[in-house]
Amino acid sequence: MASSSSSVGLSFLTRNTIKVPLSIPKSFSPFPKLTFPSITCFYSATPRLDYNSFKKINPIHYCSNLPTASTNNTHYEFSDGSSEVELRLELGQGEITPTDIHVDANESSLAVRIQQSGIVRALMDTSTLYEKIKPAETIWYIDEDQLVISLKKQNSELKWPDIVESWESLSAGITQLLRGTSIYLVGESTEINQRIARELAVGLGYTPLSTEELLEAYAKQSMESWVNEEGSDAVAEAENAILESLSSYARAVIATLGGEKGAAGRANQWRHLFAGFTVWLSLSEATDEETAKEEAKRNMQDSGQGYSNAEVVVKLGGWDPNYSKAVAQAVLSALKRLILADKDLPGKKSLYIRLGCRGDWPEIKPPGWDPSTSPDTSSMSS
């Protein structure tokens, strides 16, 4: 009997064309063979709107005619030694020789299997190492009842919290990259922005802030009644003033207003949003990955839409609050890749704030520069 399931599709784009699709099952088969979410990364060194040169990194497929036994309870020890990381896997019972062991390492994936007595047993199989390695320099050996694997990092400066990229490792490790820079969530849905902001804040140890809650506390009325009484433009201007006061905040995740009433949807009100890393949580009408890519490409080219200023775009093929953490994980994964592509970004954000959030992002002008004299930033003078 086949079981049916539905899923929420999720992908993201950043300005240096990094895309991650994520399939989140809404329901699981009641039978022992389960299918879990997987992430596939796309990288490109080409300009951000060139989608023809993506390199797909697929999960490892180990081919064998022998039956395979897999366990969900992988026991391992992990340590970070600066230029390399060390992984120790328990071999289990029985006499195991080096000829029984198969280690398949690629830039972002690792598969470790033991072939013994006609059975292939998986010790580890992940397509999402925390960061890239140099597979040709992988070394492994047997130490009593453990298999020791040494993996050489491509980026020796990055500290690995764990061997795999997960919610736990991302939330623990990305703080070294963010360096206190705040995160702004923009998009069509205020509810989605707020839920993901709370998830991120808990994981990062940041302060969760909602411009809707701050505005309602100030006006002493609901957002709906404010819009009805004064209109969306008045609310957007008020939110822009809130964003100005928040622009100097560090270690905060700020959920902005969605829809027409939000400042982020207006291209001329982004001066203060640029003070932090901006993430567009975008509900997608796409039914497949390629369509989602094309949709994101069109979105980012639409200079008249304020959200197109965002540094990261996360495409959601549906919304279920139960999967807020999965969306938050994709946001952190995107931000990690964004910052690793340009490690000076947090420092530039700090400089931008110190100079007064003048709207000259990302090409920051010298001190004393007057934004009112520049046609390039006149649209962001609010």
Side-chain angles (χ1 to χ4, degrees):
M1 173 188 286
S3 62
S4 62
S5 65
S6 58
S7 65
V8 176
L10 176 68
S11 63
F12 69 68
L13 287 173
T14 70
R15 290 195 176 275
N16 53 325
T17 60
I18 302 165
K19 184 172 186 298
V20 170
L22 173 62
S23 178
I24 308 169
K26 285 185 178 176
S27 60
F28 293 103
S29 166
F31 302 103
K33 189 175 182 180
L34 300 178
T35 302
F36 293 95
S38 61
I39 297 178
T40 304
C41 297
F42 294 76
Y43 298 88
S44 174
T46 55
R48 71 181 180 95
L49 295 179
D50 182 357
Y51 292 87
N52 299 317
S53 305
F54 284 112
K55 178 181 178 183
K56 185 174 182 180
I57 303 176
N58 292 312
I60 294 175
H61 297 285
Y62 182 82
C63 299
S64 174
N65 295 323
L66 297 173
T68 302
S70 181
T71 176
N72 294 325
N73 300 316
T74 300
H75 299 285
Y76 65 87
E77 299 173 15
F78 170 80
S79 61
D80 186 323
S82 184
S83 63
E84 61 188 23
V85 293
E86 183 181 274
L87 178 67
R88 287 178 172 265
L89 296 166
E90 298 291 337
L91 290 173
Q93 299 178 347
E95 186 69 26
I96 298 174
T97 66
T99 58
D100 300 326
I101 298 172
H102 303 269
V103 177
D104 190 356
N106 289 302
E107 276 194 339
S108 302
S109 60
L110 177 67
V112 182
R113 289 175 168 81
I114 295 176
Q115 179 180 322
Q116 194 177 36
S117 302
I119 298 292
V120 176
R121 178 163 56 94
L123 291 185
M124 174 167 283
D125 193 344
T126 178
S127 60
T128 54
L129 291 173
Y130 186 76
E131 195 37 54
K132 291 183 180 181
I133 62 169
K134 300 176 182 178
E137 298 183 39
T138 299
I139 300 171
W140 62 268
Y141 59 91
I142 297 175
D143 182 13
E144 296 182 350
D145 59 348
Q146 290 184 323
L147 175 64
V148 183
I149 305 174
S150 177
L151 304 170
K152 183 74 75 173
K153 298 178 184 178
Q154 287 195 18
N155 182 352
S156 60
E157 297 178 0
L158 182 67
K159 181 75 174 177
W160 288 32
D162 199 356
I163 188 68
V164 296
E165 184 180 88
S166 63
W167 168 251
E168 291 76 15
S169 64
L170 283 168
S171 56
I174 199 171
T175 53
Q176 65 181 303
L177 299 175
L178 291 172
R179 288 170 15 205
T181 308
S182 291
I183 299 169
Y184 291 81
L185 301 181
V186 305
E188 300 84 351
S189 170
T190 303
E191 177 200 353
I192 294 176
N193 295 344
Q194 290 174 340
R195 285 185 175 270
I196 305 308
R198 286 194 290 269
E199 289 285 356
L200 289 170
V202 170
L204 298 174
Y206 274 31
T207 301
L209 296 171
S210 165
T211 58
E212 180 181 63
E213 294 175 0
L214 293 171
L215 286 167
E216 288 181 340
Y218 166 78
K220 295 181 173 56
Q221 63 178 326
S222 70
M223 186 57 57
E224 182 179 1
S225 64
W226 192 349
V227 172
N228 290 336
E229 290 178 11
E230 301 188 35
S232 297
D233 290 345
V235 173
E237 287 296 333
E239 185 186 28
N240 191 51
I242 291 288
L243 292 171
E244 180 177 2
S245 66
L246 295 178
S247 62
S248 60
Y249 276 51
R251 297 177 178 84
V253 186
I254 296 123
T256 64
L257 290 173
E260 294 181 356
K261 61 183 176 293
R266 301 158 188 249
N268 67 337
Q269 293 188 342
W270 268 71
R271 273 182 58 182
H272 306 293
L273 287 166
F274 287 134
F277 290 114
T278 51
V279 181
W280 178 8
L281 303 175
S282 174
L283 287 169
S284 173
E285 298 179 358
T287 56
D288 58 74
E289 184 180 307
E290 288 302 316
T291 307
K293 283 169 54 178
E294 290 301 315
E295 182 184 66
K297 175 182 177 180
R298 292 193 301 272
N299 292 158
M300 297 299 274
Q301 288 176 322
D302 184 4
S303 58
Q305 187 173 21
Y307 300 138
S308 65
N309 288 317
E311 291 148 309
V312 172
V313 180
V314 179
K315 283 289 181 182
L316 291 80
W319 169 244
D320 186 332
N322 293 323
Y323 294 99
S324 296
K325 185 171 287 186
V327 179
Q329 178 177 333
V331 169
L332 292 185
S333 184
L335 288 173
K336 185 186 78 170
R337 285 156 176 74
L338 175 74
I339 300 171
L340 286 176
D342 184 354
K343 297 176 185 176
D344 294 329
L345 276 176
K348 288 179 67 176
K349 292 287 186 183
S350 178
L351 175 62
Y352 180 77
I353 295 169
R354 293 198 304 273
L355 290 175
C357 296
R358 303 171 300 178
D360 52 342
W361 182 265
E363 300 299 329
I364 300 176
K365 303 298 189 294
W369 175 77
D370 184 358
S372 63
T373 63
S374 173
D376 295 335
T377 57
S378 59
S379 62
M380 291 188 184
S381 58
S382 298

